[in-house]
Amino acid sequence: MALYYEAASLLTTSPDGGGSHKSRIYNSKDLKSNPAHLFALISEASKWSAVLKEVIEESGVLSVERKLTPSLALLLVHDQLLSKRGIVAPASHPFKVAVTKHKARLNAEFTKARLRRGFASLAALRAAVSLGYGNKEPSLAGEEAHLEAALKKGRTTWTHPRWVRINTIRSTLKEQLATTFADSTRIENIEELLRCSPDSQGHKLLHIDHHVPNLLALPATIDLTGTSAYRKGEIIFQDKASCFPAYLLNPTLNDGDIIDTCAAPGNKTTHVSALLQENKSLQRKSRIIACEKDKGRAITLQKMVDWAGVHDMVSVKAGQDFLKLDPENSAYKNVGALLLDPSCSGSGIVGRDNIPHLVLPSRDIGSGTIKHGKKRKRPNQTNAPKPVADTPPEEETVVDASSNGNLQERLRSLSAFQLKLISHAFRFPSARKIIYSTCSIHAEENEYVVIEALRSPQAEQRGWRILKREEQVVGMREWGIRGDRQDCERLLDGSTNEEVEAVIEGCIRCEKGTKEGTMGFFVACFIRDAPLSMHAQVGDPVDVNPSEDENGSSTHALDDPAWQGFSDEDSVVTSSQDAPNPRQVNRSHKQKNIAKRTKS
């Protein structure tokens, strides 16, 4: 029953530090349950909560089984009605008995709830709930036609696929196609996969991505967590857009050592490692220095590094704030490239703006309907109260609904922090490439930050410019969605068309909910043509913590039976950073500073 206790606790308590359920689950050290199972239960129960609330209230279970809390009842009834394995507990456990002895009544009310929503089958209702429909309060008239139209509309929208990166440190694309995905049908057009309805559980399609090597798209419903390839770290769940930073960096021997400045959970770190390893001509290995300020997330990062098999290439700096690294320290004399994926609003994450609102059942509605064992007299339908989210404050899942004014203030603060990171990265004397990325759709965190960075004194003095589209690696050069034209033209007012186009085409965007199947994302690369410092020798040993003592060795991920690997989730902040307004950055530098560098 630990699974249900822990899930109920996560549903009914608000974290002091914020964060999504996913990040709280995978970063927790105290959970006994399988993180993947726990997250799946919470996500699915939340999607179905309005339907299950109605079922529980109409059946009157809570009025009889007083030991059940509303949150436990929701989770247990979900598994009783919707999970193939049923309630995961011994048959004699009191909570399981409290639900299963009413299974006939619960099934009957579940059927009625489905019919009231106008669905002829459970499969149709499942599909509707997966699309965000069906988990609605039924109205008295016209609901059937409305929901049928909504379902049809929803099935023509683009679903988000399951993106899987082949970890070439441990396996190859050829090996995985012959083993893990041997029974999948390969398709050339990803749109065919994205049109699959969520009820196509057995539809095994596979698309090999045309932009990023060793990347596969599969139906969202596929579960690979039980496969040998996943357990061994041969495949990694990582959104296509999240693969862009490492691929755009295109690391080579000439880049020297690489710093991943905000590295947890480690998908991008391990991707850079794999790309370096694929270069068979390397005679000396570049080192990757992975900084993570949060020590808890650094533990997750180290597990990811070990799980992916790149511990001999990556030095994890647990608790290290990148802004406190001294660029002039000899430990970083070989650093030729940096990866910046800082905290951001997370507005591009799929599902972030439509998280299902959790509603819990009430004991007051339907009370006494089972207790006396009599046939319940159904109240007049026209006078029946409509189900409402009758949820106590301590048992409510709150979705951030900041006002537009608060959002703008937060974006200004975030962009100032992001600009500060880029400016610090510019100071590393041997650096020649800097990747900047966010999982944000807001120009304030994307084009605005890039343009302000190009205007900075550091960029002017050290010769930093944006990597032009024609200079990018082929997959990124062929990606069609570029920087926001309107914002770039506004921010670069006074520049020549050539200068504006260089920035627009140099920036790369991804949009969520489109036929590309990506999350919302932004990435750009800063480069300078100056050679590495003469004293920099690639392959020199790197002091993992030059300014502090070693943190000691970490436990190998595969020695931890409770850890189940990773899915892709980027760093997202939940509160504003204490940073100056970026619009206070001095804009007095002439536009010719950008012109001089974009023409090079």
Side-chain angles (χ1 to χ4, degrees), residues 210-223:
H210 299 315
H211 297 97
V212 179
N214 303 303
L215 184 66
L216 306 177
L218 300 110
T221 53
I222 193 170
D223 183 6

Side-chain angles (χ1 to χ4, degrees), residues 32 70 76 86 121 196 205 223 225 272 311 330 343 346 449 492 495 565 578 593:
K32 298 178 181 179
L76 292 167
S121 67
C196 289
L205 298 178
D223 183 6
T225 56
V272 170
H311 49 276
S330 61
S343 297
V449 172
L492 291 171
S495 300
D578 183 16
N593 293 335

Side-chain angles (χ1 to χ4, degrees), residues 20 38 68 93 100 111 166 309 337 343 368 392 395 406 446 485 514 525:
S20 66
L38 191 58
L68 287 177
H93 194 285
T100 56
T111 299
I166 308 301
S343 297
E395 293 203 34
N406 290 336
N446 299 329
R485 177 168 298 277
T514 69
C525 179

Side-chain angles (χ1 to χ4, degrees), residues 201-212:
Q201 298 289 339
H203 202 178
K204 293 189 175 181
L205 298 178
L206 177 148
H207 172 74
I208 300 177
D209 188 62
H210 299 315
H211 297 97
V212 179

